[in-house]
Amino acid sequence: MTAPGTVLVVDDDAAIRTVVAAALKREGHAVTTAASIGDLHRILAAGLPDVLVTDVVLPDGNGLDLVASLMAEHPALPVIVFSAQNTLATAVRATEVGAFDYLPKPFDLDVLSNAVRGAIAKGRRGPIDTPEDVGAGGSLIGRSPAMQEVYRVIARVVSNDLTVLVMGESGTGKELVAKAIHDLGPRRRAPFVALNMAAIPRELIEAELFGHERGAFTGAATRVAGKFEQAAGGTLFLDEIGDMPMDAQTRLLRVLQSGEFTTVGGARTIKADVRIVAATNKDLGALVQTGQFREDLFYRLNVVPVALPSLRERRQDVPLLARHFLDRAAEEGLPRKQLDAAAVAVLEGYDWPGNVRELENLMRRIAALSRDEWIDADGIRRALGEASQGQAIPGDAGIEAAVRARLERIAIDEPRALDDGTLYDRIIGEVERPLIEAMLARHQHNQLRAARALGINRNTLRKRLDTLGIDATGNRPNGAD
């Protein structure tokens, strides 16, 4: 049991000072409080406490700047920072300036007590190099307790090369976590290279990872560097690692153990100078039990686990994320949209099976297709309904639903195509071609009967056949679009 110590608590909120002091005094600590940086310096002039606990926003300065200056003067003083500015940048900055721990407000008093005991028992961790851009990783957004824990883990690993395993459902933002770890760490000036293991044919995985020499296999006309070489000095993100075949797992394990690899068909040993961040939406522990994933590789990858919550587990972040995605859509040239309170309530009540990615796509769709600046609850419900139709159009859903779904996909994948002046001809062409081809086939490619069925004259049909590149037999000529 750690012996009690002396604690100085700094916060301009008298209620917080009182509650925190009372909780720490119950633990046996001697507690002094201050309401400002000026008060703090007057107290420190009489002697250092064992632990300093401070807020970030103070009436006469910034608590993080205070910590940085204190670390220069008193490097042995452990500091615990708490803040209502619950962002990844705050968590990382607190770690950068040398804080022993960072606690987002509101925090559990038991968590604070444990942090104070840990600070007294273990002392302060050393500061790390400060990235030039502490706003990096800004795509990770959320103030929920679940995301605060993610931020704390990221803040603790950015300064080292420990292997990180990010676990979470599809669409939760696993690559964003990997990118934040890279952007905030000492390797940030080197490449960040991502490889989706599920998207590569089994026989090409080793060549993708390690590269190949000329003539290593049929079609290998030149030497090609693999992802390990491309990411040299930086970070290699291995997404969907649970889909990696067993033989490739064995080779990856050898590289992680030895720190070296050879290209496919090569003999020269190459040093693997990369940080590994892996991600999966599968239960790797269960795959180990069934023999589908190597146990030794699992432990090599699972050095620092990061459990990324689903969006339904952090519903309070939905409004913040939704507004962020609408703002980003506006920055990309789509019309600016606003959400009223009822619309936000509908978003918070939805289960989001596609997680953050689904929310982002929905906001882009609304920005592209909604005629109103302010989006209400009915607008959200409509958009959610149309999104579900767009995922799988039933056979009897009608042409209108199919066209809406097509427009939604264009809005997501090619937003600028909505304003380039070609959309009408493009959509009409996509509908017209299968219609004409179907009628020609139904009437054994008899143009006169097909034209009558369509309600147009034969000359009009012939012009449309020429324009669309459909020949008289209903087939598309070679090279036609």
Side-chain angles (χ1 to χ4, degrees), residues 46-64:
L48 292 177
D50 292 316
V51 182
L52 170 64
V53 180
T54 182
D55 192 9
V56 169
V57 179
L58 297 169
D60 53 349
N62 183 286
L64 294 177

Side-chain angles (χ1 to χ4, degrees), residues 141-260:
I141 293 173
R143 296 183 177 178
S144 61
M147 284 304 295
Q148 294 306 307
E149 183 57 33
V150 172
Y151 295 163
R152 292 178 72 189
V153 175
I154 292 174
R156 289 170 176 166
V157 302
V158 291
S159 62
N160 54 57
D161 269 348
L162 294 176
T163 301
V164 177
L165 178 61
V166 187
M167 296 165 287
E169 297 177 8
S170 294
T172 49
K174 295 186 287 295
E175 185 166 352
L176 292 179
V177 172
K179 195 71 167 62
I181 291 171
H182 172 79
D183 289 343
L184 294 165
R187 291 178 176 267
R188 60 190 175 276
R189 293 183 180 87
F192 174 87
V193 177
L195 182 63
N196 187 328
M197 308 306 294
I200 305 171
R202 181 188 186 95
E203 64 275 11
L204 296 180
I205 284 183
E206 290 197 27
E208 283 286 336
L209 281 171
F210 310 114
H212 62 77
E213 300 298 323
R214 179 181 178 182
F217 49 82
T218 302
T222 60
R223 184 188 189 279
V224 175
K227 301 305 183 188
F228 268 90
E229 279 190 83
Q230 294 172 28
T235 301
L236 177 57
F237 174 54
L238 301 177
D239 198 8
E240 305 299 351
I241 193 72
D243 291 296
M244 194 176 198
M246 289 295 287
D247 49 353
Q249 290 179 34
T250 301
R251 180 113 191 251
L252 176 61
L253 176 64
R254 286 200 298 269
V255 175
L256 296 182
Q257 289 173 331
S258 67
E260 298 176 337

